Amino acid sequence: MYSNLEQEFVSLLEENQNILHKICKLYTADLASHQDLFQEMVIQLWKSYPKFKGDSKFSTWAYRVSLNTAISLYRGRKTKITTVDWDNSLANIRYEEYNSEEEERLKSLYEAVRQLSDIDKALVYMYLEDKDYSEISETLGISEVNARVKMNRIKTKLKSMLAKQKIA
């Protein structure tokens, strides 16, 4: 049986799992890597959940933990993340397949975004999720002004990259 903590975590994760899928989409190129990263993010979220105080929204906290996990695993900032044994009770989380066909028209955008730096990728992702600059700055640990300036520069860079893709 689930403990109250597990029930709460599973419920919040199921409501917010698209956050994890979209981060996986930005940081991986194939389904197997996507699934591996998703699982690792769930494990890291579960390990960290007892420390979650609710000072921010669950989604904001999940962004931070998931982005840090993705960046650590796929950009070599940390050679190894210590994992925990998979708790079978957590295996009951309903995993919804990420339907990439629905977002086929975004393929070019994702390809361009993958070429950005890690912090820029995270900023673009949160911007596309309609997060306000205060939440973006809190999650990424930068000022609101810096987030706005970086986003304007990124938009210009992405427009240029997408224009080059259409020509090629």
Side-chain angles (χ1 to χ4, degrees):
M1 255 315 123
Y2 282 153
S3 70
N4 286 344
L5 187 67
E6 289 174 15
Q7 287 176 336
E8 187 179 285
F9 176 77
V10 168
S11 175
L12 288 167
L13 185 62
E14 285 178 347
E15 290 172 21
N16 292 281
Q17 71 175 287
N18 276 344
I19 293 169
L20 280 66
H21 282 301
K22 290 176 183 174
I23 293 170
C24 290
K25 181 83 170 156
L26 286 174
Y27 286 90
T28 63
D30 60 70
L31 182 60
S33 297
H34 179 113
Q35 290 172 335
D36 289 347
L37 179 57
F38 183 90
Q39 180 176 334
E40 188 62 35
M41 283 191 265
V42 170
I43 291 168
Q44 295 304 319
L45 286 165
W46 173 241
K47 278 179 52 180
S48 302
Y49 190 65
K51 297 174 192 160
F52 175 61
K53 303 288 187 235
D55 296 336
S56 62
K57 292 190 282 186
F58 178 84
S59 61
T60 301
W61 173 79
Y63 277 119
R64 180 173 284 163
V65 173
S66 298
L67 283 169
N68 286 338
T69 301
I71 289 168
S72 295
L73 284 175
Y74 286 90
R75 296 295 176 231
R77 290 199 177 148
K78 196 170 169 185
T79 55
K80 185 178 178 187
I81 289 181
T82 305
T83 60
V84 295
D85 290 334
W86 182 253
D87 184 344
N88 285 335
S89 65
L90 294 177
N92 294 324
I93 296 171
R94 272 181 290 136
Y95 178 85
E96 297 173 11
E97 283 297 325
Y98 187 71
N99 187 348
S100 61
E101 293 173 13
E102 292 175 10
E103 296 189 13
E104 188 61 37
R105 64 186 181 92
L106 294 176
K107 185 176 181 181
S108 294
L109 178 61
Y110 277 110
E111 288 175 17
V113 170
R114 276 192 198 106
Q115 296 173 40
L116 299 173
S117 71
D118 293 331
I119 190 86
D120 289 354
K121 274 188 233 185
L123 204 154
V124 167
Y125 167 66
M126 294 185 76
Y127 179 83
L128 291 174
E129 288 293 305
D130 292 325
K131 300 301 177 190
D132 60 39
Y133 284 106
S134 65
E135 188 172 352
I136 292 171
S137 68
E138 178 187 343
T139 302
L140 299 180
I142 59 177
S143 71
E144 280 188 54
V145 172
N146 192 1
R148 290 178 193 278
V149 169
K150 286 178 86 50
M151 193 63 231
N152 284 331
R153 289 180 181 157
I154 293 167
K155 285 179 190 176
T156 302
K157 187 174 184 176
L158 286 173
K159 285 178 187 174
S160 173
M161 293 166 76
L162 291 170
K164 288 178 184 176
Q165 283 181 1
K166 288 181 183 178
I167 294 172

